[in-house]
Amino acid sequence: FDEIDADHDGYLSRSEITEVCARMQLPHVNTAEAPAARKDAIETADRIMNKSDTNNDGVIDFDEFCAYAHVQHKLVRETFDSLDENGDGQLSAGELQRALKAAGKETTYEDVVELMRMIDTDGDGFIDFSE
């Protein structure tokens, strides 16, 4: 929360949320795709504000942020568990590749292995939920 709250007023504004969303799309910086990435960041910030600002005061306070984060964490966990085909608590390259294919993203095994390498911070060849 504190890292997003750029002006340290104890609230997250739409512009602060937009800036964080934009930073998460760094590959688009200084490319022809930058305007579309900025538009995506604004749309994402709008969705976050609409779901989080439960008292409709135009900002997200810490309690609203925590409630939103809890719901998002639960959704991510459910998604992770649904991709974990054998229920061992980790995703293999094969599980990730099948999930990407089911989402309409055709990838080579080599691409998946490279993606795994970027996410797998402990280097065990699997993605666990904490990663």
Side-chain angles (χ1 to χ4, degrees):
F1 183 91
D2 291 335
E3 291 181 27
I4 301 169
D5 183 15
D7 62 8
H8 307 291
D9 66 353
Y11 300 96
L12 304 181
S13 67
R14 185 176 306 276
S15 65
E16 288 169 328
I17 299 291
T18 300
E19 288 309 309
V20 169
C21 293
R23 283 196 310 259
M24 294 173 68
Q25 299 176 0
L26 287 178
H28 299 294
V29 174
N30 297 323
T31 70
E33 297 176 5
R38 183 68 181 175
K39 182 179 180 233
D40 289 346
I42 292 168
E43 290 172 357
T44 299
D46 286 344
R47 282 193 303 275
I48 291 169
M49 290 296 293
N50 291 337
K51 291 180 181 180
S52 303
D53 183 19
T54 56
N55 64 3
N56 296 313
D57 63 355
V59 293
I60 300 171
D61 64 33
F62 185 72
D63 290 337
E64 290 169 325
F65 175 81
C66 289
Y68 179 78
H70 176 75
V71 169
Q72 294 307 305
H73 182 269
K74 185 177 178 184
L75 290 172
V76 171
R77 183 69 209 205
E78 289 170 358
T79 301
F80 182 91
D81 290 346
S82 74
L83 302 177
D84 180 14
E85 297 168 350
N86 63 3
D88 65 355
Q90 53 191 11
L91 300 180
S92 67
E95 287 170 325
L96 182 57
Q97 187 172 26
R98 286 187 290 281
L100 290 169
K101 184 175 182 178
K105 306 288 183 189
E106 290 292 332
T107 57
T108 66
Y109 188 76
E110 291 77 21
D111 289 339
V112 173
V113 168
E114 180 60 27
L115 180 59
M116 295 280 294
R117 212 181 334 254
M118 292 176 1
I119 300 170
D120 178 23
T121 57
D122 65 9
D124 68 354
F126 297 93
I127 300 171
D128 61 58
F129 184 73
S130 66
E131 293 172 317

